[in-house]
Amino acid sequence: MAENLLNFDAEQLTAWFAQQGEKPFRARQVLRWIYKNGESDFDAMSDLAQSLRSKLKETACIVAPKVMREELSEDGTRKWLLDVGTGNAVETVFIPETDRGTLCVSTQAGCALDCAFCSTGKQGFSRNLSTAEIIGQLWWANREIGRASDGNWPITNVVLMGMGEPLANFDNTVSALRLMLDDNAYGLSRRRVTVSTSGIVPAMDRLRDECPVALAVSLHAPNDALRDVLVPINRKYPLRELMAACLRYLERAPRDFVTFEYVMLEGVNDSLQHARELIALVRDVPCKFNLIPYNPIPQAPYRRSSAEAVRRFRDVLMEAGIVTTIRKTRGDDIAAACGQLAGQVQDKTRRTHRLMEVGT
Ligand code: SAH
Ligand code: SF4
């Protein structure tokens, strides 16, 4: 079967070329064609020998996931639903702003971590995306949107905040990250690529050692009792361990702070007492906060905190010296906002079934 070259980071592509008896600089040339030019046709790779082009046409291909549907929001946000086979779909969201274009990328079909307020989690886990399916989202979206007036690709920032937990699909995620950063591919700065994690502590340490990029941590609660309920992975890696992992990460991170994401749930985690508890929790961790207005999903009982409650919460954090922003909800009208990315993923874990069986 033809090898999909989007599955290889630079090192892996060089190794694959070596297996074919080709020199490393050939791999670099091909990488540049694929990512700098957005090329998928080997015949167009004009600086490769004709014999190599013919060989690649037989042994390799360059294929991103198939787009099933595109939606455009009134605010310019674009969402693509991508077919990743066997009844699975994932979503990619492009968020244009005046000074940058951000792509929100998915890393898994579904998610096994089952956070209480997240529609991806409510679907259960289906499977990990391949490197080609992860980097293919960026490759395809850049080509689809087209170059900006300065000739650069429109996507300047990438956040791994779509469907799935990136650190639970570690190897493929890291290969995709390396392509985002590689000078022969997209050449993005480490500061412009953000991994968001619910807090898988050992994988945070590996990311720090293998491919440090900007880090966002989905905190959502100021104490273990509440976080155990909202973000169940907390039962395995409680807050004390998570805070220590953040500090270790910062030793090698491209930014000198961690971004804590905090979804605002009315009457659940949004009181001023919660804010004060948070301040004590993160006292030793250089951080910023991003407060996310909850986007309601049908499978969860929560309500969005009022704008007033969110502002008061922010003010308390700010008075304690913590830079705090309130996330604008974007793409609401096309269900592209945080946590609303549902796709059409089958529940391979049959969680719904199991829960019914145990009567919860
Ligand atoms: N699995 C990773 C990244 C994907 S989720 C993580 O959890 O960090 C991206 C962000 O959206 C996370 O902070 C997540 O907690 C948040 N989120 C999930 N469901 C949401 C909802 N219904 N409303 C608002 N934010 C939500
Ligand atoms: Fe998974 Fe993140 Fe959703 Fe939690 S918030 S279920 S970790 S995708």
Side-chain angles (χ1 to χ4, degrees):
M1 213 175 72
E3 197 77 59
N4 188 356
L5 299 190
L6 295 183
N7 269 318
F8 297 137
D9 61 27
E11 200 180 311
Q12 293 160 339
L13 190 67
T14 307
W16 187 79
F17 267 61
Q19 273 171 23
Q20 321 284 313
E22 297 290 342
K23 299 239 156 53
F25 83 96
R26 293 292 178 203
R28 278 196 299 278
Q29 279 178 312
V30 170
L31 212 56
R32 295 176 71 87
W33 276 110
I34 299 175
Y35 297 105
K36 294 230 173 285
N37 296 302
E39 190 54 69
S40 56
D41 179 1
F42 293 115
D43 275 331
M45 301 186 179
S46 50
D47 56 0
L48 302 184
Q50 189 60 54
S51 57
L52 176 57
R53 280 186 247 169
S54 307
K55 191 159 95 182
L56 286 172
K57 270 163 56 184
E58 278 168 30
T59 54
C61 60
I62 298 161
V63 185
K66 203 166 96 235
V67 174
M68 296 164 69
R69 199 167 70 221
E70 169 171 7
E71 289 175 65
L72 180 64
S73 161
E74 280 169 11
D75 64 16
T77 301
R78 290 165 79 162
K79 180 175 89 167
W80 295 281
L81 190 65
L82 307 175
D83 181 4
V84 290
T86 55
N88 290 309
V90 297
E91 291 173 328
T92 302
V93 182
F94 176 66
I95 306 153
E97 289 172 280
T98 40
D99 56 341
R100 61 183 165 187
T102 303
L103 194 73
C104 180
V105 166
S106 294
T107 54
Q108 298 182 307
C111 180
L113 299 186
D114 198 22
C115 297
F117 46 81
C118 173
S119 81
T120 306
K122 292 295 159 208
Q123 298 169 7
F125 176 65
S126 187
R127 70 169 175 86
N128 283 330
L129 298 191
S130 65
T131 302
E133 288 167 334
I134 301 172
I135 199 68
Q137 296 170 54
L138 180 56
W139 184 80
W140 191 86
N142 264 330
R143 289 209 323 177
E144 179 68 13
I145 301 160
R147 292 183 193 276
S149 48
D150 57 8
N152 289 323
W153 287 126
I155 294 162
T156 59
N157 294 58
V158 178
V159 294
L160 270 52
M161 292 186 185
M163 294 169 70
E165 165 55 49
L167 297 188
N169 181 12
F170 192 86
D171 292 343
N172 295 345
T173 293
V174 165
S175 288
L177 289 174
R178 291 197 168 123
L179 287 166
M180 294 173 201
L181 304 174
D182 198 298
D183 281 337
N184 289 308
Y186 288 116
L188 297 178
S189 121
R190 290 179 187 278
R191 304 157 61 90
R192 288 176 172 267
V193 176
T194 302
V195 165
S196 174
T197 179
S198 54
I200 304 182
V201 164
M204 290 166 66
D205 286 329
R206 274 187 77 192
L207 187 68
R208 172 193 86 145
D209 294 339
E210 294 179 30
C211 191
V213 292
L215 183 70
V217 172
S218 295
L219 197 55
H220 306 317
N223 58 60
D224 283 320
L226 183 54
R227 196 164 191 270
D228 281 351
V229 175
L230 296 178
V231 185
I233 190 75
N234 193 70
R235 295 173 207 158
K236 196 157 179 194
Y237 306 114
L239 284 168
R240 203 169 52 83
E241 287 180 35
L242 181 57
M243 292 302 123
C246 289
L247 281 176
R248 289 195 298 276
Y249 194 89
L250 286 174
E251 291 166 11
R252 302 226 185 121
R255 290 186 179 275
D256 54 9
F257 60 91
V258 171
T259 303
F260 286 124
E261 298 164 274
Y262 195 94
V263 62
M264 297 290 290
L265 306 170
E266 186 176 67
V268 174
N269 66 355
D270 66 346
S271 75
L272 298 187
Q273 178 55 30
H274 290 124
R276 285 190 285 268
E277 236 183 303
L278 265 186
I279 293 164
L281 174 72
V282 304
R283 202 184 44 218
D284 299 326
V285 184
C287 64
K288 292 186 180 175
F289 264 81
N290 192 214
L291 304 179
I292 314 176
Y294 169 60
N295 294 307
I297 59 163
Q299 308 92 324
Y302 305 113
R303 286 185 309 267
R304 180 185 285 189
S305 304
S306 71
E308 179 56 28
V310 177
R311 274 197 301 273
R312 271 189 290 135
F313 201 91
R314 176 199 55 195
D315 291 345
V316 175
L317 296 181
M318 294 282 272
E319 277 158 29
I322 303 172
V323 174
T324 305
T325 50
I326 299 172
R327 187 172 299 174
K328 279 188 291 192
T329 48
R330 299 281 307 252
D332 251 349
D333 51 336
I334 56 169
C338 299
Q340 288 185 319
L341 303 178
Q344 294 171 353
V345 183
Q346 286 169 3
D347 183 356
K348 293 272 169 56
T349 64
R350 298 170 62 80
R351 177 184 294 130
T352 328
H353 223 82
R354 282 203 321 263
L355 290 179
M356 273 160 41
E357 280 163 8
V358 295
T360 48

